Amino acid sequence: MSQTPLLDRALIEEATKKSGLIWVRGTGPSRALWHIWLDGAAHLIGDGPGEQPLPGLVDGSTAEVTVPSKDKGARLVSWTATVRDLAPGTEEWDTAVAELKGKRLNAPDAEQMTARWARECRVVRLTPEGDTRPHPDGSLAAVPLTTSATTRLPAPAGLPKLLLKRKRRSGK
């Protein structure tokens, strides 16, 4: 077995584990989603009241995952994932939900959260398939939409003097 796939898997796991969120694109646009890394895959909770939306993540399809750096936000690694919904009540679902519950911030119903997730939400497993994807050329930033909005006018010429006076007064 080549060393490159092993290094790719290690890079995917470490980067995704340490990142607070991942950008996921299924059939629609990319979305920033919080997650946990468990048993070699990213796990998400969503599509329920008060939870993050998971549009475009269809069971059995693939998704592109981009992992940003936690401190700078720059793209660290991109990888293709197989999307799989976990069925409530299974051992895999219970394990994932136990970890997700510990990471869920500001839950309105912490005591009944897992029961609500079983009734109303989806737990999705994103399993890496293949190697990492090469970084694309350019920034991939979208062209801004045309608008009649404008930027503000330049600062008045006397403003720097006024601000400097305030600093002098507050410094004494």
mmCIF file of all heavy atoms in Angstrom, residues 19-63:
data_model
loop_
_atom_site.group_PDB
_atom_site.id
_atom_site.type_symbol
_atom_site.label_atom_id
_atom_site.label_comp_id
_atom_site.label_asym_id
_atom_site.label_seq_id
_atom_site.Cartn_x
_atom_site.Cartn_y
_atom_site.Cartn_z
ATOM 1 N N SER A 19 -10.639 21.307 13.724
ATOM 2 C CA SER A 19 -11.394 22.454 13.222
ATOM 3 C C SER A 19 -12.742 22.546 13.926
ATOM 4 O O SER A 19 -13.395 21.539 14.181
ATOM 5 C CB SER A 19 -11.603 22.305 11.717
ATOM 6 O OG SER A 19 -12.292 23.431 11.221
ATOM 7 N N GLY A 20 -13.176 23.747 14.225
ATOM 8 C CA GLY A 20 -14.461 23.943 14.878
ATOM 9 C C GLY A 20 -15.643 23.762 13.947
ATOM 10 O O GLY A 20 -16.747 23.470 14.377
ATOM 11 N N LEU A 21 -15.405 23.949 12.656
ATOM 12 C CA LEU A 21 -16.464 23.766 11.663
ATOM 13 C C LEU A 21 -15.846 23.300 10.365
ATOM 14 O O LEU A 21 -14.644 23.383 10.164
ATOM 15 C CB LEU A 21 -17.280 25.042 11.458
ATOM 16 C CG LEU A 21 -16.564 26.294 10.950
ATOM 17 C CD1 LEU A 21 -16.438 26.308 9.448
ATOM 18 C CD2 LEU A 21 -17.321 27.514 11.400
ATOM 19 N N ILE A 22 -16.698 22.815 9.501
ATOM 20 C CA ILE A 22 -16.267 22.399 8.172
ATOM 21 C C ILE A 22 -17.240 22.997 7.161
ATOM 22 O O ILE A 22 -18.392 23.272 7.487
ATOM 23 C CB ILE A 22 -16.214 20.858 8.025
ATOM 24 C CG1 ILE A 22 -17.540 20.208 8.453
ATOM 25 C CG2 ILE A 22 -15.048 20.292 8.794
ATOM 26 C CD1 ILE A 22 -17.580 18.692 8.295
ATOM 27 N N TRP A 23 -16.765 23.219 5.961
ATOM 28 C CA TRP A 23 -17.619 23.672 4.863
ATOM 29 C C TRP A 23 -18.017 22.433 4.075
ATOM 30 O O TRP A 23 -17.162 21.666 3.636
ATOM 31 C CB TRP A 23 -16.869 24.651 3.962
ATOM 32 C CG TRP A 23 -16.699 25.987 4.612
ATOM 33 C CD1 TRP A 23 -15.655 26.385 5.400
ATOM 34 C CD2 TRP A 23 -17.603 27.081 4.551
ATOM 35 N NE1 TRP A 23 -15.863 27.671 5.830
ATOM 36 C CE2 TRP A 23 -17.049 28.121 5.320
ATOM 37 C CE3 TRP A 23 -18.834 27.276 3.933
ATOM 38 C CZ2 TRP A 23 -17.678 29.347 5.474
ATOM 39 C CZ3 TRP A 23 -19.459 28.503 4.079
ATOM 40 C CH2 TRP A 23 -18.889 29.522 4.839
ATOM 41 N N VAL A 24 -19.314 22.233 3.912
ATOM 42 C CA VAL A 24 -19.824 21.029 3.251
ATOM 43 C C VAL A 24 -20.701 21.447 2.087
ATOM 44 O O VAL A 24 -21.581 22.295 2.234
ATOM 45 C CB VAL A 24 -20.629 20.146 4.227
ATOM 46 C CG1 VAL A 24 -21.124 18.894 3.527
ATOM 47 C CG2 VAL A 24 -19.785 19.785 5.440
ATOM 48 N N ARG A 25 -20.448 20.841 0.919
ATOM 49 C CA ARG A 25 -21.283 21.086 -0.253
ATOM 50 C C ARG A 25 -21.809 19.766 -0.770
ATOM 51 O O ARG A 25 -21.059 18.887 -1.179
ATOM 52 C CB ARG A 25 -20.497 21.795 -1.362
ATOM 53 C CG ARG A 25 -21.426 22.169 -2.529
ATOM 54 C CD ARG A 25 -20.715 22.889 -3.614
ATOM 55 N NE ARG A 25 -19.806 21.943 -4.261
ATOM 56 C CZ ARG A 25 -18.729 22.303 -4.907
ATOM 57 N NH1 ARG A 25 -18.366 23.551 -4.990
ATOM 58 N NH2 ARG A 25 -17.966 21.391 -5.473
ATOM 59 N N GLY A 26 -23.136 19.644 -0.702
ATOM 60 C CA GLY A 26 -23.800 18.470 -1.269
ATOM 61 C C GLY A 26 -24.267 18.825 -2.666
ATOM 62 O O GLY A 26 -23.455 19.080 -3.552
ATOM 63 N N THR A 27 -25.591 18.891 -2.859
ATOM 64 C CA THR A 27 -26.130 19.263 -4.171
ATOM 65 C C THR A 27 -26.326 20.762 -4.298
ATOM 66 O O THR A 27 -26.555 21.253 -5.379
ATOM 67 C CB THR A 27 -27.483 18.559 -4.410
ATOM 68 O OG1 THR A 27 -28.373 18.920 -3.355
ATOM 69 C CG2 THR A 27 -27.310 17.062 -4.457
ATOM 70 N N GLY A 28 -26.230 21.502 -3.208
ATOM 71 C CA GLY A 28 -26.422 22.947 -3.232
ATOM 72 C C GLY A 28 -25.128 23.675 -2.916
ATOM 73 O O GLY A 28 -24.039 23.125 -3.050
ATOM 74 N N PRO A 29 -25.251 24.923 -2.460
ATOM 75 C CA PRO A 29 -24.048 25.689 -2.115
ATOM 76 C C PRO A 29 -23.392 25.175 -0.839
ATOM 77 O O PRO A 29 -24.023 24.459 -0.044
ATOM 78 C CB PRO A 29 -24.585 27.114 -1.915
ATOM 79 C CG PRO A 29 -26.023 26.944 -1.592
ATOM 80 C CD PRO A 29 -26.476 25.700 -2.302
ATOM 81 N N SER A 30 -22.143 25.542 -0.639
ATOM 82 C CA SER A 30 -21.416 25.144 0.570
ATOM 83 C C SER A 30 -22.003 25.831 1.790
ATOM 84 O O SER A 30 -22.449 26.967 1.719
ATOM 85 C CB SER A 30 -19.944 25.531 0.454
ATOM 86 O OG SER A 30 -19.309 24.763 -0.516
ATOM 87 N N ARG A 31 -21.974 25.114 2.916
ATOM 88 C CA ARG A 31 -22.458 25.661 4.190
ATOM 89 C C ARG A 31 -21.434 25.335 5.277
ATOM 90 O O ARG A 31 -20.854 24.252 5.289
ATOM 91 C CB ARG A 31 -23.790 25.040 4.585
ATOM 92 C CG ARG A 31 -24.916 25.364 3.649
ATOM 93 C CD ARG A 31 -26.236 24.921 4.219
ATOM 94 N NE ARG A 31 -26.587 25.656 5.419
ATOM 95 C CZ ARG A 31 -27.344 26.759 5.424
ATOM 96 N NH1 ARG A 31 -27.795 27.237 4.305
ATOM 97 N NH2 ARG A 31 -27.639 27.350 6.556
ATOM 98 N N ALA A 32 -21.253 26.275 6.191
ATOM 99 C CA ALA A 32 -20.397 26.040 7.353
ATOM 100 C C ALA A 32 -21.213 25.275 8.392
ATOM 101 O O ALA A 32 -22.298 25.700 8.766
ATOM 102 C CB ALA A 32 -19.911 27.363 7.926
ATOM 103 N N LEU A 33 -20.705 24.128 8.841
ATOM 104 C CA LEU A 33 -21.437 23.273 9.765
ATOM 105 C C LEU A 33 -20.530 22.836 10.913
ATOM 106 O O LEU A 33 -19.366 22.491 10.688
ATOM 107 C CB LEU A 33 -21.953 22.031 9.040
ATOM 108 C CG LEU A 33 -22.866 22.277 7.838
ATOM 109 C CD1 LEU A 33 -23.100 20.980 7.077
ATOM 110 C CD2 LEU A 33 -24.184 22.883 8.273
ATOM 111 N N TRP A 34 -21.063 22.841 12.138
ATOM 112 C CA TRP A 34 -20.286 22.308 13.252
ATOM 113 C C TRP A 34 -20.420 20.791 13.239
ATOM 114 O O TRP A 34 -21.387 20.250 12.728
ATOM 115 C CB TRP A 34 -20.696 22.934 14.584
ATOM 116 C CG TRP A 34 -22.020 22.528 15.121
ATOM 117 C CD1 TRP A 34 -23.225 23.099 14.843
ATOM 118 C CD2 TRP A 34 -22.300 21.463 16.030
ATOM 119 N NE1 TRP A 34 -24.222 22.463 15.520
ATOM 120 C CE2 TRP A 34 -23.690 21.453 16.271
ATOM 121 C CE3 TRP A 34 -21.518 20.506 16.679
ATOM 122 C CZ2 TRP A 34 -24.297 20.532 17.115
ATOM 123 C CZ3 TRP A 34 -22.131 19.593 17.520
ATOM 124 C CH2 TRP A 34 -23.500 19.622 17.739
ATOM 125 N N HIS A 35 -19.451 20.125 13.801
ATOM 126 C CA HIS A 35 -19.366 18.677 13.680
ATOM 127 C C HIS A 35 -18.535 18.098 14.813
ATOM 128 O O HIS A 35 -17.932 18.832 15.588
ATOM 129 C CB HIS A 35 -18.705 18.317 12.343
ATOM 130 C CG HIS A 35 -17.251 18.689 12.353
ATOM 131 N ND1 HIS A 35 -16.836 19.994 12.263
ATOM 132 C CD2 HIS A 35 -16.137 17.940 12.492
ATOM 133 C CE1 HIS A 35 -15.513 20.027 12.339
ATOM 134 N NE2 HIS A 35 -15.062 18.797 12.483
ATOM 135 N N ILE A 36 -18.481 16.791 14.860
ATOM 136 C CA ILE A 36 -17.510 16.067 15.685
ATOM 137 C C ILE A 36 -16.831 15.048 14.781
ATOM 138 O O ILE A 36 -17.392 14.644 13.762
ATOM 139 C CB ILE A 36 -18.159 15.351 16.893
ATOM 140 C CG1 ILE A 36 -19.213 14.341 16.421
ATOM 141 C CG2 ILE A 36 -18.728 16.344 17.873
ATOM 142 C CD1 ILE A 36 -19.437 13.219 17.392
ATOM 143 N N TRP A 37 -15.645 14.645 15.140
ATOM 144 C CA TRP A 37 -14.950 13.566 14.428
ATOM 145 C C TRP A 37 -15.002 12.342 15.320
ATOM 146 O O TRP A 37 -14.602 12.381 16.481
ATOM 147 C CB TRP A 37 -13.508 13.965 14.144
ATOM 148 C CG TRP A 37 -12.798 12.915 13.350
ATOM 149 C CD1 TRP A 37 -12.056 11.882 13.834
ATOM 150 C CD2 TRP A 37 -12.785 12.784 11.929
ATOM 151 N NE1 TRP A 37 -11.573 11.115 12.798
ATOM 152 C CE2 TRP A 37 -12.005 11.647 11.621
ATOM 153 C CE3 TRP A 37 -13.347 13.510 10.889
ATOM 154 C CZ2 TRP A 37 -11.780 11.229 10.325
ATOM 155 C CZ3 TRP A 37 -13.120 13.086 9.600
ATOM 156 C CH2 TRP A 37 -12.345 11.964 9.309
ATOM 157 N N LEU A 38 -15.523 11.255 14.785
ATOM 158 C CA LEU A 38 -15.696 10.038 15.569
ATOM 159 C C LEU A 38 -15.560 8.828 14.654
ATOM 160 O O LEU A 38 -16.183 8.779 13.598
ATOM 161 C CB LEU A 38 -17.082 10.054 16.235
ATOM 162 C CG LEU A 38 -17.472 8.874 17.094
ATOM 163 C CD1 LEU A 38 -16.607 8.822 18.353
ATOM 164 C CD2 LEU A 38 -18.938 8.976 17.474
ATOM 165 N N ASP A 39 -14.753 7.873 15.049
ATOM 166 C CA ASP A 39 -14.602 6.611 14.316
ATOM 167 C C ASP A 39 -14.309 6.800 12.833
ATOM 168 O O ASP A 39 -14.916 6.165 11.978
ATOM 169 C CB ASP A 39 -15.852 5.734 14.488
ATOM 170 C CG ASP A 39 -16.083 5.318 15.926
ATOM 171 O OD1 ASP A 39 -15.092 5.214 16.671
ATOM 172 O OD2 ASP A 39 -17.252 5.108 16.296
ATOM 173 N N GLY A 40 -13.395 7.720 12.512
ATOM 174 C CA GLY A 40 -12.962 7.892 11.134
ATOM 175 C C GLY A 40 -13.911 8.660 10.234
ATOM 176 O O GLY A 40 -13.801 8.562 9.016
ATOM 177 N N ALA A 41 -14.834 9.451 10.802
ATOM 178 C CA ALA A 41 -15.773 10.219 9.985
ATOM 179 C C ALA A 41 -16.262 11.442 10.750
ATOM 180 O O ALA A 41 -16.234 11.478 11.979
ATOM 181 C CB ALA A 41 -16.963 9.357 9.586
ATOM 182 N N ALA A 42 -16.720 12.439 9.998
ATOM 183 C CA ALA A 42 -17.339 13.623 10.595
ATOM 184 C C ALA A 42 -18.818 13.325 10.801
ATOM 185 O O ALA A 42 -19.462 12.700 9.952
ATOM 186 C CB ALA A 42 -17.166 14.831 9.682
ATOM 187 N N HIS A 43 -19.357 13.749 11.932
ATOM 188 C CA HIS A 43 -20.769 13.534 12.244
ATOM 189 C C HIS A 43 -21.432 14.884 12.458
ATOM 190 O O HIS A 43 -20.883 15.755 13.135
ATOM 191 C CB HIS A 43 -20.914 12.677 13.500
ATOM 192 C CG HIS A 43 -20.489 11.263 13.298
ATOM 193 N ND1 HIS A 43 -19.172 10.884 13.233
ATOM 194 C CD2 HIS A 43 -21.216 10.140 13.133
ATOM 195 C CE1 HIS A 43 -19.107 9.577 13.041
ATOM 196 N NE2 HIS A 43 -20.331 9.099 12.979
ATOM 197 N N LEU A 44 -22.623 15.050 11.895
ATOM 198 C CA LEU A 44 -23.378 16.295 11.971
ATOM 199 C C LEU A 44 -24.769 16.014 12.515
ATOM 200 O O LEU A 44 -25.313 14.931 12.309
ATOM 201 C CB LEU A 44 -23.545 16.910 10.576
ATOM 202 C CG LEU A 44 -22.325 16.995 9.674
ATOM 203 C CD1 LEU A 44 -22.747 17.304 8.250
ATOM 204 C CD2 LEU A 44 -21.384 18.054 10.177
ATOM 205 N N ILE A 45 -25.344 17.022 13.161
ATOM 206 C CA ILE A 45 -26.746 16.941 13.568
ATOM 207 C C ILE A 45 -27.446 18.141 12.944
ATOM 208 O O ILE A 45 -26.888 19.228 12.898
ATOM 209 C CB ILE A 45 -26.911 16.938 15.110
ATOM 210 C CG1 ILE A 45 -28.370 16.782 15.518
ATOM 211 C CG2 ILE A 45 -26.347 18.179 15.735
ATOM 212 C CD1 ILE A 45 -28.876 15.396 15.471
ATOM 213 N N GLY A 46 -28.655 17.936 12.439
ATOM 214 C CA GLY A 46 -29.357 19.074 11.847
ATOM 215 C C GLY A 46 -30.703 18.713 11.275
ATOM 216 O O GLY A 46 -31.250 17.642 11.524
ATOM 217 N N ASP A 47 -31.222 19.658 10.498
ATOM 218 C CA ASP A 47 -32.525 19.545 9.821
ATOM 219 C C ASP A 47 -33.690 19.408 10.791
ATOM 220 O O ASP A 47 -34.691 18.782 10.474
ATOM 221 C CB ASP A 47 -32.548 18.385 8.820
ATOM 222 C CG ASP A 47 -31.909 18.781 7.506
ATOM 223 O OD1 ASP A 47 -31.591 19.965 7.326
ATOM 224 O OD2 ASP A 47 -31.733 17.891 6.653
ATOM 225 N N GLY A 48 -33.563 19.977 11.961
ATOM 226 C CA GLY A 48 -34.662 19.978 12.917
ATOM 227 C C GLY A 48 -34.818 21.368 13.506
ATOM 228 O O GLY A 48 -33.982 22.241 13.293
ATOM 229 N N PRO A 49 -35.883 21.594 14.257
ATOM 230 C CA PRO A 49 -36.091 22.907 14.865
ATOM 231 C C PRO A 49 -34.934 23.284 15.793
ATOM 232 O O PRO A 49 -34.537 22.493 16.644
ATOM 233 C CB PRO A 49 -37.377 22.735 15.668
ATOM 234 C CG PRO A 49 -37.982 21.466 15.224
ATOM 235 C CD PRO A 49 -36.920 20.645 14.604
ATOM 236 N N GLY A 50 -34.379 24.454 15.584
ATOM 237 C CA GLY A 50 -33.284 24.936 16.415
ATOM 238 C C GLY A 50 -31.932 24.349 16.094
ATOM 239 O O GLY A 50 -30.956 24.619 16.786
ATOM 240 N N GLU A 51 -31.834 23.542 15.055
ATOM 241 C CA GLU A 51 -30.557 22.931 14.675
ATOM 242 C C GLU A 51 -30.123 23.442 13.303
ATOM 243 O O GLU A 51 -30.908 24.019 12.568
ATOM 244 C CB GLU A 51 -30.677 21.403 14.652
ATOM 245 C CG GLU A 51 -31.107 20.792 15.966
ATOM 246 C CD GLU A 51 -30.138 21.057 17.115
ATOM 247 O OE1 GLU A 51 -28.947 21.337 16.877
ATOM 248 O OE2 GLU A 51 -30.579 20.991 18.264
ATOM 249 N N GLN A 52 -28.873 23.209 12.967
ATOM 250 C CA GLN A 52 -28.351 23.687 11.691
ATOM 251 C C GLN A 52 -29.011 22.973 10.518
ATOM 252 O O GLN A 52 -29.308 21.789 10.591
ATOM 253 C CB GLN A 52 -26.833 23.511 11.644
ATOM 254 C CG GLN A 52 -26.361 22.074 11.746
ATOM 255 C CD GLN A 52 -24.857 21.980 11.941
ATOM 256 O OE1 GLN A 52 -24.133 22.961 11.875
ATOM 257 N NE2 GLN A 52 -24.378 20.773 12.177
ATOM 258 N N PRO A 53 -29.261 23.708 9.431
ATOM 259 C CA PRO A 53 -29.845 23.062 8.252
ATOM 260 C C PRO A 53 -28.782 22.249 7.510
ATOM 261 O O PRO A 53 -27.617 22.620 7.486
ATOM 262 C CB PRO A 53 -30.337 24.236 7.405
ATOM 263 C CG PRO A 53 -29.524 25.403 7.848
ATOM 264 C CD PRO A 53 -29.139 25.151 9.280
ATOM 265 N N LEU A 54 -29.206 21.150 6.925
ATOM 266 C CA LEU A 54 -28.305 20.283 6.154
ATOM 267 C C LEU A 54 -28.829 20.120 4.728
ATOM 268 O O LEU A 54 -29.026 18.997 4.264
ATOM 269 C CB LEU A 54 -28.190 18.909 6.835
ATOM 270 C CG LEU A 54 -27.728 18.884 8.292
ATOM 271 C CD1 LEU A 54 -27.801 17.477 8.851
ATOM 272 C CD2 LEU A 54 -26.337 19.461 8.433
ATOM 273 N N PRO A 55 -29.051 21.214 4.001
ATOM 274 C CA PRO A 55 -29.604 21.066 2.657
ATOM 275 C C PRO A 55 -28.592 20.451 1.697
ATOM 276 O O PRO A 55 -27.396 20.713 1.788
ATOM 277 C CB PRO A 55 -29.930 22.502 2.250
ATOM 278 C CG PRO A 55 -28.953 23.328 2.995
ATOM 279 C CD PRO A 55 -28.747 22.611 4.311
ATOM 280 N N GLY A 56 -29.077 19.626 0.819
ATOM 281 C CA GLY A 56 -28.217 19.028 -0.192
ATOM 282 C C GLY A 56 -27.443 17.810 0.272
ATOM 283 O O GLY A 56 -26.715 17.214 -0.506
ATOM 284 N N LEU A 57 -27.579 17.417 1.535
ATOM 285 C CA LEU A 57 -26.906 16.213 2.015
ATOM 286 C C LEU A 57 -27.911 15.075 1.993
ATOM 287 O O LEU A 57 -28.738 14.926 2.894
ATOM 288 C CB LEU A 57 -26.353 16.418 3.429
ATOM 289 C CG LEU A 57 -25.242 17.445 3.553
ATOM 290 C CD1 LEU A 57 -24.769 17.540 4.995
ATOM 291 C CD2 LEU A 57 -24.082 17.116 2.637
ATOM 292 N N VAL A 58 -27.854 14.287 0.943
ATOM 293 C CA VAL A 58 -28.805 13.206 0.713
ATOM 294 C C VAL A 58 -28.136 11.879 1.048
ATOM 295 O O VAL A 58 -26.995 11.624 0.646
ATOM 296 C CB VAL A 58 -29.275 13.215 -0.762
ATOM 297 C CG1 VAL A 58 -30.264 12.104 -1.028
ATOM 298 C CG2 VAL A 58 -29.865 14.575 -1.120
ATOM 299 N N ASP A 59 -28.848 11.041 1.780
ATOM 300 C CA ASP A 59 -28.332 9.735 2.173
ATOM 301 C C ASP A 59 -27.888 8.952 0.938
ATOM 302 O O ASP A 59 -28.624 8.830 -0.036
ATOM 303 C CB ASP A 59 -29.418 8.960 2.930
ATOM 304 C CG ASP A 59 -28.900 7.684 3.563
ATOM 305 O OD1 ASP A 59 -27.694 7.616 3.875
ATOM 306 O OD2 ASP A 59 -29.701 6.751 3.747
ATOM 307 N N GLY A 60 -26.657 8.462 0.969
ATOM 308 C CA GLY A 60 -26.118 7.668 -0.135
ATOM 309 C C GLY A 60 -25.400 8.486 -1.200
ATOM 310 O O GLY A 60 -24.774 7.915 -2.089
ATOM 311 N N SER A 61 -25.458 9.809 -1.124
ATOM 312 C CA SER A 61 -24.789 10.648 -2.119
ATOM 313 C C SER A 61 -23.375 10.981 -1.632
ATOM 314 O O SER A 61 -22.912 10.470 -0.621
ATOM 315 C CB SER A 61 -25.585 11.932 -2.355
ATOM 316 O OG SER A 61 -25.567 12.735 -1.196
ATOM 317 N N THR A 62 -22.705 11.847 -2.368
ATOM 318 C CA THR A 62 -21.385 12.308 -1.956
ATOM 319 C C THR A 62 -21.450 13.808 -1.688
ATOM 320 O O THR A 62 -22.348 14.498 -2.170
ATOM 321 C CB THR A 62 -20.313 12.028 -3.029
ATOM 322 O OG1 THR A 62 -20.675 12.689 -4.233
ATOM 323 C CG2 THR A 62 -20.143 10.554 -3.268
ATOM 324 N N ALA A 63 -20.487 14.281 -0.918
ATOM 325 C CA ALA A 63 -20.379 15.706 -0.601
ATOM 326 C C ALA A 63 -18.908 16.084 -0.610
ATOM 327 O O ALA A 63 -18.039 15.243 -0.376
ATOM 328 C CB ALA A 63 -20.990 15.991 0.764
#
